Amino acid sequence: MAEPLLSVRALAKRFGGVLATDGVSLDLAPGELHALIGPNGAGKTTLLAQLAGSLEPDAGSIVFEGRDIAALAQHRRVAAGIARSYQITSLFARLSVRDNLALAVQARSGSSFVFWRPRSAEAALFEEARSIASKIGLAGREDVRADALSHGEQRALEVGLALATRPRLLLLDEPMAGLGPEETARMIGLIERVRGGTTVLLVEHDMDAVFRLAARISVLVNGRVLASGSPEAIRGNSDVKRAYLGEELAARTTSDPP
Amino acid sequence: MMREPNVKAWLGPLLAAVFAIALPLALRAFGQVFYVSFASQVLIYALAATSLNLVLGYGGMVSFGHAAFVGAGAYVASLLLHAGVDSAWIAWPAAMAVAAAIALATGAISLRTRGVYFIMITLAFAQMLFYLANSIKAWGGDEGLTLARRPALGFGVDLADELSFYYVALAILAAALYALHRLAGSRFGHAVVAMRENETRAEGVGLPVFRTRLACFVIGGAVGGLAGALLACHGKYVSPNVLHWTQSGTLMIMVILGGVGRLWGGVLGAVALLGLERFLADFRIGWLAALVPNYAQHTSLAVGVVLLAAVLFAPRGLAGWRRARDG
Amino acid sequence: MPLNTPGDGSGQVLFTLSWILLVEQALNGLQFGLMLFLLAAGLTLVFGIMDMINLAHGSLYMLGAFFASALVEATGSFVAGVLLAVPATALAGMLLERALLRTLYARDHLSQVLATFALILILNELVRIVWGSDRPLAMPAALSGPVELLPGLYYSSYRLLIIGVGFAVALLLHWLVARTRLGMWVRAGASNREMALAMGVDIGMLFTFVFGLGAALCAVAGALLSPLLAVQVGMGENILIVAFVVIVIGGIGSIRGAFVGALLVGAIDTLGRTLLPIAFSAFLPPQFASAAGPAIASISIYLLMAVVLFFRPQGLFQARGQG
């Protein structure tokens, strides 16, 4: 590919006796939606955490937009354009949707070392929060406390918080976790809308969504990239079928239209 | 949510201000000038508790070593006065500056730790200062330092006069509360609260958690130092006891009883705790005296019981912002 | 206030350093460290297993001392008094745990800090009401003389007793934790509570036992140290902080860490007070040395803690599993 947006080489992370990330190498092209699939415990979230900067790798390199960011703290990576959403919903539970989003916008736009001027006076900040709320389908729900939202709305806000930082690389950790069919369709729609200018690394278990959204797919098993390629290539890959939930993948292969 | 100027919100503070301004005049009229001095003490502790409230209540940082900053301020002001520097305009800002510097140094180390380690390390740092003050003879050692007189403020204000001192302390407290109010509504204030609510996500959306918390810690320390300076100047005395960790505990109790993370938490807590102790000391309770003859010497028992009850029976866990378990 | 020097302590800075003094101070450091270990072990167990910060741990130490003093007076025998004080304090600890403290296990650390701080206030005042602010506890006459360890080297026989008892209790604790089923449950609870629960351990009884064990250890330390220090209300607070420093250095939940940490702290604190003033007087003019020496010595253990935490924020050893 032309200059990749993100280039990961030989990334490794060990927890006691377990090698959670075992020499992972990965390239993401700009604007690509790349899905990361694999069985539970494969190390997908651990990988995302290392890319986002909340976990320090033991070895390997992470190059983002031509710049080695392995030593960069998480909040600086957000400023550099990398944001993540969380598999287990992690919001500011007691704050309203508006305040949740306002925080992310605040972090992105200017300093938080403003001690005197009331934030409530910053119309632009709240205008942007409102527009993101709209984009994620929570228009009209801005005054609701985050912990009072439905699960689907919370997952949307999860993604919204990451979006609010205007990332160039969006790391989504199982955004569809626990969603019903209607909510899943909405989330897929949201991700499709986002996809355009933003590069997305999507960790997901929902194969329908994965095959619909992804331009390329990587399969992570036991901390290692087993295979990487187009959806068709992955579908046909026998190693993947064997190592992953074989029956489910095999079933898809035979029943899906070409 | 945008807030228009809210008359109701200002009513409480206005009444409090009127009461606070009228109080010493009334006390003097009734010949109870001693209580004006006590009221000043309450104001100073209210300031100290408010400074801890910023760190603990708003910031969610359970610092058990806040006495370090209050004590540092007390010592700096005392040592300067003792050395002949007579002006409060030098002594008090100096106290704040030194306290802030200590907060910066200790905070930079402490804030790298989490949970229990943070509590312990802040506690240990304060104890460190306690032992330091205890062992340095030039600072009075374990007997402390007595000051000849209160500092000079100029502008015709004589701090030796109890009413004047009271009004100066009141003005400072009022300024601090207003500053806290502005701080809470600012970007900084919202960021600090966000970090308290969900540190992981705060970092995740790109807020600089360490730096912001450190700034909060330092501001709290600086204001604590000011309270310490006022304390030393009020009593004209400083000793290592002001640095002891039980002092940190006392401030924490005030914040908890008064309302963590609420603007008036420090004030209410100081009034409640000191008021309770003063009440027990000065007003004889018949039935209690029958049970325990010298109950007035055991006021900490009452404080302990009240605090324990507050912790055990608080509706939603103690500090409203804490869930059942730490992260 | 120095915790480990007998009454004569302050002021003299310029000693002639002799190996006798060094050995004597090293033994003092060992003695202090072993007693610290008794306190720290209970504290780290309660912390590691029940995840509870117990500031009132020092109050148990104080109770042990007061019980010992009262019982020695009642029985007329030092040994009987001390031996009886241990189960008395353990019982008091277990009652406290059952009645009050177990409600705190599920609470956040701030609540625990405040509640146990409240307990300190309450227990201090209750002790003061029952026994007064202080009590005497004299060294047993048989042990008040020195023993000649080596030609020219005399050492207090009482302190030797403390060292002996300290080692014995440490070994007993090690045997209990490493070689018995009960100990296995304790270790399991320290490293992974969910796992211990899954193993079918009666958590409630285990917690009460651990708390009682901690209280017993406190009582041993409190009773033994009393003839050297004083039996007074508030004696628990100062040593409690040092115990916390020990477990922070050693690693929360790790008994081995508590042992190593306690000996380190004991050594640095004791030797520091002796050597630092001498070292300083070699480099600095007398008026600074006499101030700086004791000052730095008094904070040496906190500096140690800061250094350890800087490089290993979780302490030297680790008992807790991940998460």
Side-chain angles (χ1 to χ4, degrees):
Chain A
M1 65 176 75
E3 188 70 42
L5 184 79
L6 180 77
S7 192
V8 178
R9 288 285 172 275
L11 205 64
K13 180 71 188 173
R14 177 181 288 276
F15 291 117
V18 179
L19 204 52
T21 306
D22 189 0
V24 166
S25 295
L26 194 63
D27 279 335
L28 295 186
E32 162 181 22
L33 193 150
H34 194 114
L36 189 63
I37 64 177
N40 280 322
K44 304 188 293 295
T45 299
T46 307
L47 181 61
L48 279 195
Q50 289 173 82
L51 295 178
S54 58
L55 200 58
E56 204 182 313
D58 294 329
S61 74
I62 305 172
V63 176
F64 178 69
E65 292 183 334
R67 184 179 157 202
D68 187 343
I69 59 164
L72 220 52
Q74 181 168 17
H75 68 269
R76 291 198 196 279
R77 293 195 202 187
V78 175
I82 304 177
R84 76 172 283 196
S85 76
Y86 292 78
Q87 178 185 1
I88 301 174
T89 308
S90 176
L91 306 168
F92 301 106
R94 298 195 304 170
L95 301 182
S96 68
V97 169
R98 177 187 292 108
D99 283 336
N100 265 267
L101 293 170
L103 276 164
V105 176
Q106 170 184 330
R108 180 195 64 71
S109 64
S111 166
S112 281
F113 283 81
V114 173
F115 301 92
W116 196 255
R117 185 167 179 245
R119 194 183 70 167
S120 53
E122 291 190 50
L125 193 104
F126 289 96
E127 179 51 42
E128 193 172 330
R130 199 205 53 75
S131 109
I132 296 168
S134 218
K135 194 186 291 185
I136 59 176
L138 289 179
R141 299 281 281 165
E142 284 116 320
D143 287 319
V144 181
R145 251 172 67 146
D147 58 4
L149 295 173
S150 73
H151 180 69
E153 288 173 322
Q154 285 184 345
R155 297 305 287 161
L157 184 56
E158 252 306 312
V159 176
L161 278 178
L163 281 178
T165 64
R166 294 200 197 151
R168 285 190 293 290
L169 172 61
L170 188 58
L171 308 168
L172 296 177
D173 200 347
E174 300 192 33
M176 276 153 249
L179 295 185
E182 222 180 271
E183 295 164 324
T184 303
R186 271 202 290 269
M187 181 64 77
I188 292 178
L190 169 57
I191 298 176
E192 276 175 337
R193 284 198 296 280
V194 164
R195 183 167 50 176
T198 314
T199 309
V200 178
L201 182 61
L202 171 70
V203 169
E204 247 313 322
H205 277 299
D206 185 331
M207 287 302 127
D208 269 336
V210 166
F211 282 100
R212 183 164 149 191
L213 290 166
R216 287 197 308 141
I217 301 175
S218 290
V219 183
L220 200 68
V221 179
N222 289 331
R224 238 178 267 127
V225 176
L226 190 65
S228 193
S230 69
E232 297 75 38
I234 294 298
R235 243 193 282 244
N237 187 312
S238 52
D239 285 331
V240 172
K241 278 193 256 185
R242 218 178 303 126
Y244 196 7
L245 301 171
E247 311 87 63
E248 192 173 4
L249 217 45
R252 294 250 166 266
T253 314
T254 48
S255 64
D256 273 341
Chain B
M1 189 153 58
M2 308 272 184
R3 285 189 295 145
E4 291 91 17
N6 190 345
V7 174
K8 254 206 202 154
W10 287 101
L11 192 61
L14 191 62
L15 286 174
V18 168
F19 174 77
I21 293 173
L23 182 67
L25 300 169
L27 285 172
R28 184 171 62 182
F30 284 104
Q32 305 281 5
V33 180
F34 163 74
Y35 281 105
V36 175
S37 178
F38 168 68
S40 296
Q41 201 186 26
V42 173
L43 291 176
I44 296 172
Y45 272 99
L47 183 66
T50 301
S51 70
L52 178 60
N53 195 11
L54 172 65
V55 172
L56 172 63
Y58 288 85
M61 296 173 266
V62 185
S63 162
F64 210 141
H66 206 69
F69 313 123
V70 176
Y75 266 92
V76 168
S78 302
L79 290 170
L80 282 173
L81 279 150
H82 197 74
V85 176
D86 221 23
S87 167
W89 294 104
I90 298 179
W92 294 354
M96 290 183 78
V98 172
I102 295 176
L104 184 63
T106 59
I109 299 177
S110 314
L111 285 167
R112 290 158 134 251
T113 64
R114 285 288 169 275
V116 139
Y117 289 99
F118 178 75
I119 301 176
M120 285 308 120
I121 194 173
T122 52
L123 178 53
F125 273 129
Q127 274 305 87
M128 201 165 121
L129 286 187
F130 170 77
Y131 283 118
L132 205 61
N134 228 322
S135 58
I136 297 184
K137 293 289 176 276
W139 294 359
D142 62 343
E143 287 179 358
L145 266 178
T146 315
L147 303 173
R149 62 186 159 280
R150 293 177 179 169
L153 201 56
F155 301 107
V157 177
D158 179 19
L159 287 178
D161 171 45
E162 289 303 338
L163 263 83
S164 303
F165 193 97
Y166 173 92
Y167 284 119
V168 169
L170 182 64
I172 294 177
L173 178 63
L177 285 171
Y178 183 64
L180 180 59
H181 168 72
R182 294 296 295 232
L183 198 70
S186 71
R187 278 186 168 221
F188 182 79
H190 280 97
V192 160
V193 167
M195 291 163 195
R196 171 191 87 195
E197 291 290 306
N198 188 338
E199 184 187 331
T200 313
R201 203 56 202 264
E203 185 90 35
V205 300
L207 289 170
V209 173
F210 180 77
R211 251 188 300 150
T212 311
R213 281 188 156 163
L214 185 58
C216 182
F217 197 74
V218 169
I219 295 173
V223 178
L226 179 58
L230 289 173
L231 199 62
C233 293
H234 176 256
K236 292 185 290 193
Y237 175 65
V238 71
S239 84
N241 283 331
V242 73
L243 289 160
H244 199 251
W245 66 287
T246 47
Q247 285 296 309
S248 296
T250 302
L251 289 174
M252 267 183 145
I253 295 175
M254 289 180 183
V255 174
I256 299 303
L257 290 181
V260 253
R262 302 195 142 154
L263 186 63
W264 293 88
V267 175
L268 292 175
V271 170
L273 194 63
L274 290 176
L276 177 68
E277 285 182 350
R278 175 62 41 197
F279 177 75
L280 288 174
D282 288 359
F283 295 93
R284 210 184 115 83
I285 303 174
W287 59 267
L288 194 55
L291 256 139
V292 183
N294 53 343
Y295 72 87
Q297 287 169 7
H298 303 295
T299 53
S300 3
L301 182 59
V303 173
V305 171
V306 170
L307 179 62
L308 191 59
V311 175
L312 293 179
F313 302 120
R316 239 186 333 153
L318 239 203
W321 44 263
R322 287 264 169 177
R323 285 150 232 216
R325 268 334 235 139
D326 265 354
Chain C
M1 160 175 67
L3 286 168
N4 194 34
T5 50
D8 67 332
S10 58
Q12 277 183 284
V13 170
L14 298 173
F15 303 87
T16 354
L17 183 63
S18 67
W19 69 271
I20 291 176
L21 180 70
L22 205 56
V23 170
E24 180 188 81
Q25 290 305 313
L27 285 173
N28 282 350
L30 181 63
Q31 172 239 307
F32 181 44
L34 285 170
M35 291 298 104
L36 260 184
F37 168 65
L38 295 186
L39 273 151
L43 198 59
T44 206
L45 277 177
V46 167
F47 210 144
I49 298 178
M50 289 98 98
D51 198 18
M52 184 172 86
I53 308 180
N54 179 21
L55 293 182
H57 196 76
S59 301
L60 293 170
Y61 165 82
M62 173 185 71
L63 268 180
F66 271 88
F67 273 136
S69 170
L71 287 166
V72 164
E73 188 179 302
T75 63
S77 153
F78 182 81
V79 175
V82 170
L83 283 178
L84 286 172
V86 174
T89 313
L91 193 64
M94 289 194 281
L95 281 172
L96 205 58
E97 195 267 346
R98 286 251 149 206
L100 209 63
L101 292 172
R102 45 181 42 204
T103 58
L104 291 174
Y105 295 151
R107 300 287 297 271
D108 58 286
H109 288 306
L110 175 60
S111 300
Q112 293 171 355
V113 163
L114 289 165
T116 51
F117 182 70
L119 261 182
I120 293 179
L121 295 177
I122 295 172
L123 287 171
N124 276 352
E125 289 310 310
L126 285 179
V127 166
R128 192 172 277 140
I129 290 175
V130 171
W131 280 306
S133 284
D134 52 63
R135 282 191 59 90
L137 181 56
M139 213 177 288
L143 291 169
S144 53
V147 153
E148 190 172 13
L149 294 175
L150 290 171
L153 174 64
Y154 291 88
Y155 194 63
S156 155
S157 50
Y158 185 72
R159 286 176 186 262
L160 277 176
L161 172 76
I162 294 184
I163 293 178
V165 172
F167 268 123
V169 173
L171 280 170
L172 200 66
L173 193 63
H174 172 79
W175 171 82
L176 180 73
V177 171
R179 301 249 180 276
T180 65
R181 170 164 291 185
L182 189 58
M184 180 187 69
W185 291 338
V186 167
R187 272 180 293 136
S191 60
N192 195 324
R193 192 186 325 179
E194 285 76 30
M195 193 65 82
L197 267 168
M199 277 163 56
V201 179
D202 182 344
I203 288 290
M205 287 308 298
L206 182 67
F207 286 3
T208 306
F209 169 75
V210 168
F211 206 84
L213 178 64
L217 292 169
C218 282
V220 175
L224 285 179
L225 280 176
S226 293
L228 293 177
L229 312 174
V231 180
Q232 57 190 192
V233 168
M235 64 192 280
E237 277 82 283
N238 290 331
I239 205 163
L240 173 76
I241 309 291
V242 184
F244 268 117
V245 169
V246 166
I247 71 174
V248 164
I249 290 176
I252 291 178
S254 165
I255 297 187
R256 194 185 322 162
F259 190 73
V260 171
L263 290 185
L264 252 177
V265 168
I268 289 189
D269 186 66
T270 310
L271 289 173
R273 285 173 203 281
T274 314
L275 295 178
L276 278 173
I278 295 176
F280 274 59
S281 68
F283 296 113
L284 294 173
Q287 65 268 35
F288 288 126
S290 60
I296 304 289
S298 67
I299 66 171
S300 58
I301 62 172
Y302 300 102
L303 292 174
L304 172 69
M305 181 190 76
V307 167
V308 169
L309 281 179
F310 190 80
F311 292 106
R312 277 187 75 89
Q314 70 275 40
L316 295 174
F317 297 85
Q318 193 180 22
R320 286 257 189 86
Q322 291 290 326

